[in-house]
Amino acid sequence: MKSIKENIEQLRDTIRYHDRKYYVENNPEITDYEYDQLVKELQQFEKTYPHLIVPDSPTQRVGGEPLTQFSTVEHKIPMLSIDNTYSDNELEEFDQRIKRMAGIDGHRNIEYVVELKIDGVAIALWYEKGLFVRGATRGDGFKGDDVTANLRTIHQIPLKLQPAEKQQIPSAIEIRGEIYLSNKEFQRLNEEREEAGESQFANPRNAAAGTLKLLDPRVTAKRHLRVFAYAIGYLEDFELETHMKCLELIRGFGLPVNPHTRLCESIGEAIQYCNEWGKKRNDLDYMIDGIVIKVNSLSLHEQLGATSKAPRWVISYKYQPEQAVTKIEEIVAQVGKTGTITPVANLSPVLLAGTMVSRATLHNFEEISRKDIRMGDPVVVQKAGEIIPQVVSVVKEKRNGTERIFQEPTVCPECKSAVRREGVYLRCHNPFCHAQAKRRIQYFASRHAMDIEGFGPALVDQLVDKGFLKDYADIYCLKHPDLENLERMGKKSSSNLIRAIEESKQRNLERLICALGIHNVGVHTAEVLSEHFDSLDALAHATQEKLEGIYEIGPVVARSIIEFFHDRHTQSIIEKLKTAGVNTRKQTIPASEKNSKISGKSFVITGTLQKYPRKEAEMIIKHQGGRILSQVSKKTDYLVVGEDPGAKLDKARELHVQILDEEAFEKMIK
């Protein structure tokens, strides 16, 4: 019979295994709920037997108290910078320079390892006898900040190295990597900050850097930082000959290495790979600002050495950010669903990074003043992190004197109530402001919430302005006569809309929770909550303690939920939803509705599908018993391919994953 200590360690190993499957290999084997139960079981064991808690336990990722400051760490081997280049010719010169310095015949080829240059924050992870001891930022290259507490919140970083069977663990190893935020998480974080009246991050790199330097690891944990390991800075007990062997060792220890890393036999092949990614980089869910080219041979690394600033055996091929010059036609103040007033620039339409851009956020009114932005200004625009259009600068030399200074509003542009400054933001606190009601109703009906087809912004504006809607529960009181006389609405359109409204009553609980617009609760958090509560009433009566006991739900989110459901106005709206027959209970998929071809299978979707929006295709797969993954791996069963599929198609072919075009996918789901 196993001892308590052995049972606890076995449970820890099981959780570590599933951490690796989910966070590193993108191939989960159990549901989030099942994972949460394992963590809860371990927490209960450790609560009962606190003397058996160890620093590398999965429960010890987030510390209990915020830090007061970061201490300084001196790097055992300096983390030098990398020289940059912006042209193919300079890469060829780099290759020739390497050969001259190493005494290699100019006609012989050198092997290079080519890696995507992740636009994030460089860090060094120090392990002793397999245990994560500390992690530090690059800093000035010689000394950095000790951010161990924040790095421990990143599930991709193992607290204990997980080598393959019979694999030796080094006495000491420093693994270097890049901390980053996915584009999806960056957008979610900025949306939350906007709703909270906080300044938005300019790009994912700034967001990752700011998150890594938070003094409270509990807040860091909610931002879902990620990591790609790319080098070994220091190593004991091992003799390795190539950089590729280093990456294989890192991957074998359980850290993620970027899957697009390639060994190239010559500089020509490396240049070709750089140019390929110049066209494909927007397909990724994270930002890259170039490609890193490294000599593969470690003996050549030693022979070539380094300057005082950078190693001679590596170079970075940088991509220029795509920018365009256009004109600000006007600046308008936009009211969000929580009353935050944001300035937005309406632009003369311009093509940028593959899309036509006609609007750009100006973030806040201090931003307008700091950059001296005026209506009529010629401006340089780019997409922040290739995602959000933003005004970079004013081309002041092209001003002609007709430009107009934008006056900061003193009243809400919609309801004319006095506005209050909160930090860099202005906010309208009128609970009956029509603009806020419109945004909340639009959000409630949006595709990722209740998904009411045809319920767009123009229709919402009319219904609120005419007094048919005061809140989103009023949607379910609409009748044909209310709709038929509206602009661009007839009998057929109104019938279709009434049908869509009726169908939305049966949406799953997770969609309703998301649609309510609870502060700090988005799509993912709503899914987490629906896994732990079988009804909206159960969630509404949950205590702070019970909510905080859920993995990924911290005190801030818990407090937002409690405040939302204790509000009398909220309670009356929820009663109206119930009276209208909106589903407020968790639904399960009947076995009869599961598709044997899909049930239990893993799917990745890439490219643009013509008949199915991405979210709808994912919902169909989930409803028929399948699983949705974000990345292609050996365990992916099917890759569903639309137009312009990008790098995931190449990965699927490489791993011999079955590929479905839209026609084959449609046959399967039917």
Side-chain angles (χ1 to χ4, degrees):
M1 185 174 177
K2 290 182 179 179
S3 66
I4 294 296
K5 185 176 181 180
E6 288 173 325
N7 281 329
I8 290 176
E9 194 51 49
Q10 183 178 350
L11 185 54
R12 287 173 183 149
D13 286 340
T14 301
I15 294 171
R16 291 181 187 120
Y17 171 81
H18 289 297
D19 276 342
R20 179 167 181 163
K21 300 300 290 184
Y22 184 92
Y23 294 103
V24 179
E25 299 178 14
N26 293 310
N27 185 33
E29 294 182 352
I30 59 176
T31 65
D32 290 349
Y33 177 77
E34 290 169 324
Y35 177 87
D36 290 349
Q37 297 310 301
L38 292 174
V39 173
K40 280 186 175 180
E41 185 181 354
L42 178 57
Q43 288 172 334
Q44 189 57 50
F45 265 125
E46 292 183 343
K47 185 177 180 180
T48 307
Y49 306 99
H51 62 286
L52 295 179
I53 298 176
V54 293
D56 63 296
S57 173
T59 62
Q60 303 303 299
R61 285 195 172 273
V62 182
E65 294 297 327
L67 306 171
T68 56
Q69 63 180 8
F70 295 107
S71 58
T72 300
V73 173
E74 186 170 347
H75 299 302
K76 195 172 185 71
I77 305 294
M79 295 182 72
L80 302 179
S81 59
I82 301 175
D83 289 333
N84 296 326
T85 180
Y86 292 88
S87 73
D88 296 355
N89 288 338
E90 289 178 349
L91 286 181
E92 291 172 350
E93 291 172 4
F94 166 74
D95 178 64
Q96 292 301 316
R97 186 164 63 249
I98 295 292
K99 292 173 181 177
R100 285 197 305 272
M101 294 178 66
I104 297 173
D105 187 325
H107 298 290
R108 279 180 53 196
N109 288 329
I110 294 177
E111 277 190 341
Y112 291 102
V113 178
V114 183
E115 306 169 9
L116 303 190
K117 188 175 186 298
I118 312 301
D119 197 9
V121 183
I123 47 95
L125 310 172
W126 186 266
Y127 288 85
E128 293 180 2
K129 297 180 180 178
L131 299 181
F132 179 46
V133 176
R134 66 175 178 272
T137 60
R138 176 179 174 272
D140 63 3
F142 299 92
K143 293 179 181 179
D145 289 325
D146 187 335
V147 288
T148 306
N150 284 335
L151 291 172
R152 289 174 71 90
T153 70
I154 303 173
H155 284 260
Q156 290 180 307
I157 298 176
L159 302 182
K160 182 178 183 180
L161 295 180
Q162 303 163 40
E165 191 176 353
K166 298 182 180 179
Q167 172 67 63
Q168 179 185 355
I169 293 179
S171 303
I173 183 173
E174 183 199 75
I175 298 172
R176 295 180 176 179
E178 197 83 5
I179 300 296
Y180 70 96
L181 270 181
S182 69
N183 294 341
K184 181 179 179 181
E185 182 64 15
F186 171 66
Q187 288 180 298
R188 184 196 67 79
L189 180 58
N190 263 353
E191 287 170 2
E192 283 188 359
R193 291 176 70 82
E194 182 180 1
E195 288 183 8
E198 299 171 351
S199 59
Q200 291 183 304
F201 288 113
N203 52 56
R205 182 186 64 254
N206 287 2
T211 300
L212 202 56
K213 295 300 293 289
L214 291 171
L215 292 172
D216 191 344
R218 293 171 298 185
V219 179
T220 303
K222 297 179 186 302
R223 295 192 181 174
H224 308 294
L225 291 172
R226 300 182 70 82
V227 65
F228 278 126
Y230 60 73
I232 293 177
Y234 178 82
L235 178 63
E236 293 181 1
D237 310 324
F238 281 75
E239 291 292 335
L240 300 174
E241 296 179 352
T242 65
H243 179 62
M244 282 299 286
K245 289 292 184 185
C246 292
L247 297 181
E248 289 170 11
L249 187 67
I250 292 170
R251 189 184 291 110
F253 284 149
L255 284 99
V257 173
N258 192 278
H260 303 297
T261 299
R262 177 181 288 186
L263 178 63
C264 295
E265 295 182 356
S266 67
I267 195 65
E269 187 180 335
I271 290 172
Q272 182 180 351
Y273 199 53
C274 291
N275 292 332
E276 285 178 20
W277 274 104
K279 300 172 184 176
K280 297 192 299 185
R281 59 188 174 125
N282 291 331
D283 296 337
L284 297 166
D285 188 39
Y286 48 87
M287 295 309 307
I288 65 171
D289 59 352
I291 301 288
V292 178
I293 299 103
K294 301 175 181 177
V295 171
N296 190 31
S297 168
L298 297 185
S299 61
L300 263 182
H301 287 201
E302 189 173 346
Q303 184 179 348
L304 293 167
T307 66
S308 59
K309 293 183 179 180
R312 294 190 178 96
W313 43 265
V314 60
I315 196 165
S316 170
Y317 182 89
K318 299 292 286 286
Y319 296 123
Q320 293 280 9
E322 188 175 339
Q323 297 182 333
V325 176
T326 186
K327 179 183 177 182
I328 294 181
E329 299 292 348
E330 65 173 337
I331 297 173
V332 296
Q334 181 175 285
V335 184
K337 67 179 187 287
T338 59
T340 303
I341 301 172
T342 306
V344 177
N346 288 333
L347 310 169
S348 297
V350 63
L351 187 64
L352 183 63
T355 58
M356 194 62 71
V357 172
S358 59
R359 287 166 65 84
T361 177
L362 296 173
H363 301 299
N364 55 66
F365 297 98
E366 285 190 5
E367 177 91 347
I368 295 176
S369 176
R370 182 174 64 82
K371 291 183 177 179
D372 188 21
I373 297 172
R374 305 177 186 182
M375 291 181 284
D377 262 337
V379 291
V380 176
V381 292
Q382 71 179 30
K383 289 187 177 179
E386 309 289 345
I387 303 169
I388 303 171
Q390 67 172 13
V391 174
V392 178
S393 61
V394 177
V395 188
K396 294 183 179 179
E397 59 271 21
K398 290 189 177 182
R399 281 178 171 170
N400 58 21
T402 63
E403 296 78 20
R404 307 179 311 283
I405 293 175
F406 178 75
Q407 298 297 329
E408 182 177 304
T410 56
V411 297
C412 172
E414 298 288 341
C415 69
K416 308 307 177 186
S417 300
V419 297
R420 187 188 309 164
R421 176 170 284 282
E422 297 179 2
V424 297
Y425 281 92
L426 297 179
R427 193 183 296 276
C428 169
H429 285 271
N430 176 10
F432 302 104
C433 175
H434 278 190
Q436 294 178 54
K438 289 176 181 178
R439 302 292 181 270
R440 285 193 289 268
I441 293 167
Q442 288 171 19
Y443 183 79
F444 183 89
S446 63
R447 189 170 296 280
H448 63 270
M450 296 301 275
D451 192 17
I452 304 176
E453 187 175 353
F455 217 90
L459 178 62
V460 171
D461 286 348
Q462 291 188 72
L463 290 169
V464 173
D465 291 342
K466 291 181 181 295
F468 291 118
L469 298 183
K470 290 185 173 62
D471 55 58
Y472 44 68
D474 289 338
I475 291 173
Y476 297 100
C477 300
L478 290 172
K479 307 296 181 187
H480 283 284
D482 302 332
L483 301 170
E484 288 177 358
N485 295 323
L486 297 178
E487 186 180 340
R488 297 183 181 179
M489 291 291 289
K491 287 187 176 181
K492 184 176 181 181
S493 297
S494 63
S495 295
N496 290 339
L497 187 58
I498 293 293
R499 188 185 309 114
I501 291 171
E502 193 65 26
E503 289 174 355
S504 76
K505 292 180 180 180
Q506 302 308 313
R507 298 283 184 252
N508 285 341
L509 178 61
E510 64 199 52
R511 282 181 165 270
L512 177 60
I513 294 172
C514 175
L516 295 176
I518 305 170
H519 188 45
N520 293 318
V521 176
V523 176
H524 176 70
T525 305
E527 290 175 351
V528 171
L529 292 169
S530 71
E531 288 178 354
H532 290 81
F533 297 95
D534 60 6
S535 68
L536 195 64
D537 283 342
L539 174 60
H541 292 96
T543 63
Q544 179 95 8
E545 183 181 7
K546 185 170 184 178
L547 288 165
E548 287 188 42
I550 300 171
Y551 183 68
E552 291 192 279
I553 305 296
V556 174
V557 176
R559 192 158 51 251
S560 294
I561 294 168
I562 289 172
E563 289 175 357
F564 178 84
F565 285 109
H566 277 69
D567 181 84
R568 289 184 179 179
H569 185 56
T570 296
Q571 292 170 358
S572 67
I573 291 174
I574 290 174
E575 283 305 313
K576 283 200 289 184
L577 290 172
K578 290 179 180 177
T579 301
V582 174
N583 172 59
T584 60
R585 303 192 67 81
K586 182 159 60 178
Q587 299 170 330
T588 56
I589 303 171
S592 60
E593 292 188 21
K594 291 187 178 180
N595 183 332
S596 60
K597 296 178 182 177
I598 288 179
S599 183
K601 303 294 184 182
S602 298
F603 290 76
V604 175
I605 302 175
T606 184
T608 303
L609 301 178
Q610 296 303 305
K611 294 185 179 180
Y612 303 93
R614 175 73 62 88
K615 286 291 182 184
E616 184 179 336
E618 290 179 353
M619 281 179 58
I620 291 170
I621 291 169
K622 289 179 181 177
H623 191 73
Q624 296 187 9
R627 292 184 298 169
I628 297 295
L629 303 179
S630 59
Q631 299 293 333
V632 176
S633 71
K634 291 180 180 179
K635 298 296 184 180
T636 304
D637 293 299
Y638 298 102
L639 176 71
V640 181
V641 177
E643 293 182 2
D644 302 322
K648 289 177 182 176
L649 179 58
D650 297 335
K651 185 68 174 178
R653 286 170 175 162
E654 179 185 329
L655 297 176
H656 304 292
V657 171
Q658 187 166 346
I659 297 167
L660 303 174
D661 60 17
E662 189 163 358
E663 183 180 356
F665 172 65
E666 190 169 23
K667 287 180 181 177
M668 178 178 282
I669 63 176
K670 288 185 177 179

